[in-house]
Amino acid sequence: MERLKERARTLGLWNLFLTKEYAEGAGLSNYEYAVLCEIMGRSPAIAPEACNCSAPDTGNMEVFAKYGTPEQKKRWLQPLLEGKIRSAFAMTEPDVASSDATNICTRIERSSRGGYVVNGRKWWISGAGHPNCAVFITMGKSDLSAKKHSQQSIIVVPADAPGVKVVRPLTVFGYDDAPHGHCEVVFENVWVPEENLILGEGRGFEVIQGRLGPGRIHHCMRSLGMGERAMELMVQRVQSRSTFGRKISEHGVVLDFIAKSRMDLEAARMLVLRAADMIDKVGAKNALKEIAMAKVMVPNIVLAVLDRAIQMFGAGGVGQDTPLAEFWAGMRTLRIADGPDEVHTRQIAQLEIRQQNARLEARKQTLSSARL
């Protein structure tokens, strides 16, 4: 992997995800990155890390680049940008429904000796198992008396701080996704200095929304790469085998599978590119509906393509001789990760109603002005 990283840096294929608004990035737009990210998605376990474009590091680097202090950038962002360390984002908890982040129970409390003490249990913390994981960007509640969305803060916890314990790796449909893994992590009386707070107390939601918007669309970009690779494997397979006196590719149902898969992938790509273009032009905050639509539709579409490809491989499709089963496991998980389908669908409907009402009100005002 280190040799691949060195080669990628030499070719300029490094930190491509940081868009032109960041001095530390490669100067691409989100739209331009989408094309390259899809290519990396064809080999999701190797290519993103080789180009220093792996989640959760990408989102964490954006947090430091966008909200970090000069000292935080020097200590954490710079080695992340250089690929010297890895990181994790600690939000999800086993004891609450974490798709509603206001439920988060981890406490970030002021210490009598200055700084903060962190206590809580997290799980499904991607990257925590990597031997180079050096830092956790951690969400918790710092003020229970504040307004609902101002109780949360984000704090930087060094992985080697006393009281940080990686309890166990978790498996995704049996896959451990080593070496980075998805782990259960306990923070027990972990003291961190005050300067490790990101942006300030009570601004956790502001930080995670800034982090998750681009991150969601990055997942969708990579997913398209997996879908395209599955499509290639399916087409090759059905032309190489015969059943009932003819090639599998000559059966009507198989042709239907191929045609539907191509149409679905093209539609999914348009959703992703539309969302990326909107982020470039009006910002992630004003592209929430487009991001949410892509986040719901793309994993479901790629899952359908993977399912058809697995069906064409028969028993071979569910084993380790092709990447299809592992792709399927990751894609099914993506319907939950970074917000489940149901949360995004709810948001899409709410935004659509709000936009339709705004248009209706604007038409009414136009007609009223015309009558005057």
Side-chain angles (χ1 to χ4, degrees):
M1 179 57 72
E2 295 308 312
R3 290 199 301 272
L4 288 174
K5 286 182 178 181
E6 186 177 332
R7 179 64 173 155
R9 292 191 75 163
T10 301
L11 294 171
L13 301 173
W14 192 257
N15 294 331
L16 302 172
F17 67 96
L18 276 176
T19 51
K20 58 184 68 176
E21 64 189 278
Y22 299 106
E24 302 89 349
L28 302 175
S29 66
N30 283 285
Y31 189 95
E32 291 167 334
Y33 177 59
V35 179
L36 300 176
C37 194
E38 177 180 330
I39 295 171
M40 287 188 278
R42 295 172 60 87
S43 179
I46 298 174
E49 184 174 357
C51 297
N52 212 37
C53 293
S54 292
D57 293 331
T58 50
N60 292 342
M61 283 188 267
E62 286 195 61
V63 167
F64 284 123
K66 190 171 185 177
Y67 305 111
T69 64
E71 178 58 33
Q72 289 168 350
K73 289 182 179 182
K74 180 180 178 181
R75 183 175 180 188
W76 304 115
L77 177 59
Q78 196 55 43
L80 280 167
L81 288 170
E82 294 173 0
K84 294 179 178 178
I85 65 172
R86 298 294 304 272
S87 62
F89 182 67
M91 178 177 163
T92 303
E93 298 180 1
D95 297 326
V96 296
S98 301
S99 57
D100 178 355
T102 62
N103 287 333
I104 297 301
C105 292
T106 293
R107 296 302 311 277
I108 301 173
E109 299 175 291
R110 284 193 173 273
S111 170
S112 58
R113 61 189 180 105
Y116 295 89
V117 174
V118 182
N119 281 286
R121 182 179 294 270
K122 304 284 189 178
W123 72 344
W124 297 106
I125 308 307
S126 299
H130 198 285
N132 294 336
C133 181
V135 60
F136 293 87
I137 292 183
T138 306
M139 185 178 192
K141 288 187 175 178
S142 54
D143 184 358
L144 299 180
S145 64
K147 293 181 179 179
K148 188 176 182 180
H149 291 88
S150 298
Q151 297 179 10
Q152 300 79 12
S153 296
I154 299 290
I155 199 162
V156 180
V157 180
D160 61 357
V164 177
K165 181 181 179 182
V166 177
V167 178
R168 57 174 176 147
L170 303 166
T171 60
V172 179
F173 293 105
Y175 294 98
D176 62 10
D177 288 339
H180 65 279
H182 315 280
C183 301
E184 182 176 351
V185 181
V186 169
F187 299 91
E188 186 175 356
N189 294 322
V190 181
W191 182 87
V192 290
E194 186 168 351
E195 56 264 29
N196 282 26
L197 201 66
I198 297 283
L199 204 56
E201 284 191 27
R203 301 183 72 177
F205 263 88
E206 183 178 347
V207 175
I208 65 169
Q209 287 306 313
R211 179 189 187 278
L212 290 176
R216 287 166 180 151
I217 201 70
H218 292 170
H219 279 309
C220 294
M221 295 170 184
R222 284 187 290 269
S223 298
L224 288 171
M226 289 182 246
E228 285 292 347
R229 191 168 173 197
M231 181 77 169
E232 288 179 8
L233 290 170
M234 175 168 58
V235 171
Q236 292 167 10
R237 178 75 169 189
V238 299
Q239 293 181 94
S240 68
R241 300 247 172 154
S242 299
T243 58
F244 306 107
R246 66 176 70 176
K247 286 188 177 295
I248 295 176
S249 59
E250 296 174 3
H251 292 286
V253 67
V254 175
L255 294 173
D256 188 60
F257 276 7
I258 294 170
K260 283 182 177 177
S261 296
R262 173 47 57 205
M263 291 186 286
D264 287 350
L265 287 172
E266 294 300 327
R269 183 174 292 106
M270 291 301 102
L271 278 172
V272 170
L273 293 176
R274 163 72 170 164
D277 188 52
M278 286 285 288
I279 295 172
D280 288 332
K281 291 177 176 176
V282 299
K285 187 177 290 186
N286 295 308
L288 292 176
K289 189 172 76 171
E290 287 73 19
I291 294 171
M293 287 192 293
K295 176 58 175 66
V296 173
M297 292 297 295
V298 172
N300 280 282
I301 284 172
V302 175
L303 270 173
V305 174
L306 285 165
D307 191 70
R308 294 171 193 140
I310 289 170
Q311 197 70 9
M312 292 302 94
F313 272 81
V318 300
Q320 70 270 38
D321 290 346
T322 78
L324 296 173
E326 191 168 3
F327 281 5
W328 187 94
M331 204 54 48
R332 181 61 186 85
T333 305
L334 191 54
R335 290 190 56 207
I336 300 169
D338 281 3
D341 287 1
E342 293 76 13
V343 170
H344 293 299
T345 301
R346 176 175 178 265
Q347 183 185 46
I348 293 165
Q350 290 173 333
L351 289 168
E352 182 66 23
I353 291 169
R354 192 181 308 163
Q355 290 169 358
Q356 291 283 358
N357 288 342
R359 292 190 193 110
L360 181 60
E361 185 60 30
R363 285 198 294 268
K364 287 180 179 178
Q365 290 182 2
T366 301
L367 290 171
S368 178
S369 299
R371 291 192 186 101
L372 292 175

